[in-house]
Amino acid sequence: MSAHLDASVETPDHEANRLSSGTGNGDARNEMVDSPTGYVDSGLLPAAAAAPATADTKVFDNPVGDSTFVDISRVRVIHRDSVIVRVRSAVPLTAGQLYAFWIDAGHGRRPDYYVDFRPNTGFDEVLRRVRYFGDRRSRFVQCPGMRLRADILTSKPVSIRIPRRCLTNPGRVRVAVQFKDESADTVDWAADRRTFGPWVKR
Ligand SMILES: [Ca+2]
C-alpha cells in the first residue's frame, strides 16, 4: 500500500475522490493498485513519515434512555495510523439498525467523510466524500484497509477503523455518530444531532 504514498499528487482531495457506483469494488481496488493516485497530502507527507508512534484518544458519553430501539452510551475515538471509533450501545444491537459516521478531517467546520453500514453484513472499502450532514452525493474514496464491525451476536462495540491515508493524513479529526433503527425510524446521535465530539489529535 505504500505505493499510494505518492507525494507528486497535487490535489489529493480531488484525485482521491473517484466517481464510483459503489459496486464492483474488487475491480476498483485493482484499479487503485495500478494508479498513482495518492491519498496523502504532499505537504504533510514528510512530517507524517517522521512522526512518532503517538496517539490521542477521546471518550465522550451519551445519555442513556434518550432514544428507543437504538441508544448510544459512549463513543471512543482513537487517532493512530488509523482513526478508530468504538461506539457502545445501551441496548442490544439488532438487525435493521444502521450505523452512520461523519468524520471532520479539519477541512473547514463541516464533515468531510461519511460511512454507514448494517450489522453482520459485508462492506466495501469505500468512504463517501461529503460537504455537510445530509450530503448524499455519489463521490467515493477507495480506502483499502478500512474495517467496519457490528455484530448482533456479541456485546462488542460497533467499530470502524479508517487508515489515516484515506483521510489525507489529518492532524486532528472529530467524529459524529448516528445509530438508526430503520423499522422504528428512531435515531440516537453522539455527541448530539449533527454535532461532532471533541477533536482528537494525532
Ligand atoms: Ca443515547
Side-chain angles (χ1 to χ4, degrees), residues 62-67 71-73 188-189:
N62 186 260
V64 172
D66 57 341
S67 182
D71 193 352
I72 296 167
S73 59
D188 193 18
W189 286 85

Side-chain angles (χ1 to χ4, degrees), residues 28-41:
R29 273 202 300 268
N30 292 337
E31 214 173 281
M32 286 306 299
V33 171
D34 297 331
S35 164
T37 300
Y39 296 123
V40 178
D41 184 327

